[in-house]
Amino acid sequence: MVLEKDIPKFVEWVGPAFFSYLLGLAVFAVVVGGVAWLVQAVLYGPMAAGDRVYHGAVGLVGDLGRVSWRRVTAMTRLAVKESLRKNVLVALGLFAVVLLFAGWFLDPSSVNPGRLYLGFILTSTNLLVCLVVLVLAAFSLPADIKAKAIQTVTTKPVRTIEIVLGRFLGFSAIGTASLLVMGLAGWAFVVRSVAHEHLLTQEDLEDVAAADGSLAGYRGRTSFRQGHRHWVELGPEGSGRTDVAQGHRHAVRARESADGKRVFEVGPPEGLLEARRPLRGRLTFRDRDGSPSAKGISVGAEWGYRQYIEGSTLAAAIWTFEGIDERDFPDGLPLEMIIRVFRTHKGDIEKGIGGSVRVRNPRTQVETAPFYFTAKEFTIDSIMIPRQVAVTSPEGGTRQVDLFDEIVDRKSEAVGPADAGGGGKGRIEVVLQCLVPAQYFGVAQADFYLLAGNGSFALNYLKSCLGIWFSMLLVAAIGVTFSTFLSGPVAVLATLSVLLVGQVREFLSRWYESLVTGDATIVPGGGPIESLYRIITQVSITLELEETPAVLAMKAVDTLLVSPMRLLAAVFPSLGSLGTGEFVASGFDIPLDLIAEHSLETLGYVLPCIVLGAVFLKAREVAS
């Protein structure tokens, strides 16, 4: 999966994030207060405007301190009943129709059917839930104001903050109930869709003879199901595993049937619905001469997420893994990898592009013999580094050593001293090289990892639905806020506009970082003026401009232009950053640190929206 930034620990993230939040909230409050004073000054004069803004702020603080949760509960029940009268449950019927006909359009023989089904279900669920809540939140209050039904409420001892909060909680309750139903139905749909069985009989296998003529095992192919079949290599006892096809494999076990014949049982698919817990490392490169390099080679791709290493040279990608504990990996190191291939010529398509992986001690530079493989694009490949590995001695011979005794560095100052019993955490280096001339391997830091364990897919799916729930809460809060002073259709457009700006928040942040640091690989093409210059002069965005005084001045102006855009976009929420469907679809466990960060971020947006909605509703004086 694509992971452009490391996920910080929650305890490291919360302090700076809370400080930035308070600073942004203070600036936002000052701006809102200034705009309110300016509007009042035009209508009533400067002195009266100041008095009105002051008393309004004091009244708002008083209302916040006198919120009655009994009245809020009554407003919540009213919003729920109103939503049910509007036949909001029709959305569940629409979702059922989507599931019924999804099998017609989703190809089970795709490269990774699990990713396909999960991506479709999570996206559909997110879209339907947020759309239903948006319509309810944007149209409910304006309809009550237009019909003057709101006056029945506001003339009673109910504060505006309680009306807004009740509406938000009511619509959120409807969205939560819809999400529960859709989430359960989607989970059942995915599990049922990817489940399949292969048949394997004695006639499908051929004997594999050893060098001495004895039986070494069996080799063959399974039956054809869901657009694929698997190659099988079994031991002489008849057990083994299939190869990887469409992102999964199967375990095979032989048993004797009642009539004395050998029957082969092919297990359920492994690798489609998983929750891998990776241990990731830090990535560095070596150039074609073997010298250290900050980056790999650019092959001209606009997106610089992956860097490339040249084949049949000393170029290498090196990952340094820390925190390696023998007790966590008693059988060896399960290394998993994702590799992209860039071909400068077609070559032998059927043979594929070969590569090698070596494991090295970062302190002593003792390294294992290479583990050879053929790159498998668009799927996760794995190599098991065993406990006993072969290393090359200075004299040119090889010897067998224990992985944790000589390869894992447990004496470095970076990892601390070893345990008294010889244990302790250490670090290693994994070296990747491409072996085919004029071909390239493309990798990113998150593409190589050690499999530290597997979590529960059902729990991981639930955590992904929690991300959808956070998005739904944001949509409800923003929609209710705009509905306090705008008509229904305009409130929908305003909410969508805010969410659309939030979707480019991360891009603007990376764009600004690229302009400030001068690193064009983050976002190629420069700022608006530089982009216009490149269009006129027909210079590719992947080419560096000569640093003349005019170009430097152009870059400086671009930085000044992008700075306010970046600051403004930072205020808007990003539903894309709250989504965790990519983790589930790619088979990775969603870290709890990320869930905690998203929950606080959602709360940080919801609370000001409710307060702001109460201010707008009070300013309308709907009960007058």
Side-chain angles (χ1 to χ4, degrees):
M1 63 171 292
V2 174
L3 192 64
E4 297 194 71
K5 291 184 179 180
D6 294 335
I7 300 174
K9 296 293 183 182
F10 178 74
V11 293
E12 301 173 355
W13 171 87
V14 66
F18 187 65
F19 175 77
S20 300
Y21 176 74
L22 291 180
L23 181 61
L25 199 61
V27 173
F28 183 73
V30 171
V31 171
V32 171
V35 172
W37 177 86
L38 186 61
V39 173
Q40 296 292 326
V42 174
L43 297 175
Y44 305 104
M47 297 301 294
D51 185 67
R52 282 173 170 265
V53 171
Y54 171 76
H55 284 91
V58 171
L60 176 62
V61 174
D63 286 347
L64 292 175
R66 293 190 295 268
V67 171
S68 170
W69 290 104
R70 183 178 179 182
R71 292 193 291 267
V72 170
T73 303
M75 293 294 99
T76 301
R77 288 201 304 267
L78 181 63
V80 171
K81 291 180 180 179
E82 179 185 339
S83 301
L84 295 177
R85 285 197 300 268
K86 293 181 178 178
N87 297 322
V88 68
L89 298 182
V90 172
L92 298 180
L94 178 60
F95 186 73
V97 173
V98 170
L99 293 186
L100 287 175
F101 294 97
W104 291 7
F105 306 102
L106 299 178
D107 184 9
S109 62
S110 62
V111 176
N112 193 330
R115 183 186 183 94
L116 176 66
Y117 284 109
L118 281 168
F120 172 77
I121 287 299
L122 292 174
T123 301
S124 302
T125 303
N126 195 357
L127 180 62
L128 278 175
V129 170
C130 290
L131 186 60
V132 167
V133 172
L134 172 59
V135 172
L136 289 175
F139 283 91
S140 177
L141 196 55
D144 285 353
I145 294 175
K146 183 178 180 180
K148 300 187 182 301
I150 193 67
Q151 294 184 2
T152 306
V153 177
T154 53
T155 52
K156 299 181 182 298
V158 178
R159 295 177 173 85
T160 55
I161 184 68
E162 295 166 348
I163 296 175
V164 174
L165 185 57
R167 296 273 171 165
F168 165 74
L169 294 178
F171 301 144
S172 297
I174 292 295
T176 302
S178 301
L179 177 59
L180 286 175
V181 176
M182 293 182 188
L184 287 174
W187 180 81
F189 173 81
V190 171
V191 172
R192 182 179 179 275
S193 297
V194 301
H196 64 278
E197 295 180 352
H198 291 279
L199 298 178
L200 184 65
T201 64
Q202 188 70 52
E203 290 74 19
D204 298 323
L205 300 172
E206 60 181 17
D207 296 345
V208 177
D212 58 358
S214 62
L215 180 65
Y218 305 93
R219 187 173 188 273
R221 299 186 75 180
T222 65
S223 62
F224 187 83
R225 286 298 301 274
Q226 290 195 348
H228 72 284
R229 65 174 76 234
H230 296 267
W231 284 102
V232 182
E233 292 187 0
L234 306 177
E237 73 284 357
S239 62
R241 298 166 71 88
T242 68
D243 68 341
V244 177
Q246 294 187 355
H248 71 280
R249 65 196 315 170
H250 301 261
V252 180
R253 183 176 64 89
R255 63 175 180 84
E256 295 293 331
S257 63
D259 56 359
K261 293 183 179 180
R262 174 174 286 188
V263 177
F264 296 93
E265 295 181 346
V266 182
E270 301 173 359
L272 283 179
L273 304 179
E274 290 190 335
R276 300 178 182 86
R277 291 173 178 165
L279 176 62
R280 304 191 188 276
R282 293 177 289 104
L283 175 60
T284 57
F285 290 92
R286 299 270 179 175
D287 62 19
R288 68 189 325 270
D289 299 321
S291 302
S293 175
K295 298 179 181 178
I297 295 176
S298 172
V299 296
E302 297 178 7
W303 188 32
Y305 174 67
R306 287 186 172 90
Q307 300 290 313
Y308 289 78
I309 55 174
E310 185 177 355
S312 192
T313 65
L314 296 179
I318 305 172
W319 285 264
T320 302
F321 295 94
E322 298 183 355
I324 307 298
D325 196 326
E326 181 178 354
R327 290 163 291 194
D328 297 332
F329 305 99
D331 301 324
L333 298 178
L335 177 67
E336 296 195 343
M337 54 191 181
I338 304 170
I339 296 177
R340 294 291 184 267
V341 174
F342 179 80
R343 297 173 179 266
T344 58
H345 58 86
K346 183 171 67 173
D348 190 347
I349 296 295
E350 295 184 357
K351 185 177 180 181
I353 306 300
S356 69
V357 166
R358 290 170 289 141
V359 183
R360 183 168 65 192
N361 188 313
R363 180 175 56 87
T364 64
Q365 296 298 299
V366 175
E367 65 182 17
T368 66
F371 296 87
Y372 298 104
F373 66 92
T374 301
K376 299 177 181 178
E377 289 198 86
F378 311 111
T379 187
I380 298 177
D381 200 0
S382 61
I383 295 177
M384 184 65 181
I385 310 297
R387 285 294 300 263
Q388 296 296 319
V389 293
V391 299
T392 304
S393 63
E395 294 78 16
T398 60
R399 58 189 176 93
Q400 295 289 323
V401 300
D402 185 88
L403 180 70
F404 287 92
D405 287 342
E406 295 203 25
I407 304 301
V408 177
D409 177 22
R410 292 183 286 193
K411 298 180 181 179
S412 171
E413 296 180 358
V415 297
D419 294 345
K425 296 184 177 181
R427 61 190 183 115
I428 61 167
E429 290 181 346
V430 175
V431 183
L432 168 71
Q433 287 187 299
C434 179
L435 303 180
V436 181
Q439 310 290 21
Y440 297 81
F441 279 168
V443 291
Q445 182 165 288
D447 286 345
F448 269 56
Y449 57 89
L450 298 177
L451 184 61
N454 280 291
S456 167
F457 168 75
L459 180 59
N460 204 39
Y461 181 85
L462 177 62
K463 289 190 285 188
S464 180
C465 290
L466 195 60
I468 298 176
W469 188 65
F470 291 149
S471 300
M472 181 269 297
L473 293 180
L474 276 178
V475 171
I478 299 172
V480 169
T481 300
F482 280 122
S483 70
T484 57
F485 66 98
L486 296 175
S487 63
V490 180
V492 170
L493 291 177
T495 304
L496 292 177
S497 300
V498 168
L499 298 178
L500 182 61
V501 174
Q503 289 298 99
V504 299
R505 185 182 71 181
E506 297 297 328
F507 170 75
L508 290 176
S509 178
R510 292 188 290 108
W511 194 18
Y512 180 76
E513 180 185 357
S514 176
L515 293 175
V516 171
T517 61
D519 187 357
T521 60
I522 301 175
V523 176
I529 298 180
E530 181 179 340
S531 298
L532 178 61
Y533 173 78
R534 289 178 180 273
I535 292 174
I536 296 175
T537 59
Q538 297 185 354
V539 177
S540 171
I541 63 175
T542 59
L543 297 179
E544 292 287 344
L545 297 177
E546 184 180 353
E547 293 189 352
T548 62
V551 170
L552 293 177
M554 180 172 59
K555 291 179 178 292
V557 174
D558 277 339
T559 304
L560 293 176
L561 292 176
V562 174
S563 297
M565 298 169 58
R566 181 239 183 185
L567 293 175
L568 182 62
V571 179
F572 294 87
S574 173
L575 297 187
S577 65
L578 295 178
T580 51
E582 181 67 18
F583 282 86
V584 182
S586 300
F588 291 96
D589 185 58
I590 302 172
L592 291 178
D593 288 321
L594 188 62
I595 296 294
E597 293 162 12
H598 287 174
S599 62
L600 283 189
E601 182 179 354
T602 303
L603 182 64
Y605 279 109
V606 167
L607 292 180
C609 283
I610 293 174
V611 173
L612 200 60
V615 172
F616 290 145
L617 186 60
K618 192 171 185 178
R620 293 187 67 162
E621 299 178 348
V622 293
S624 60

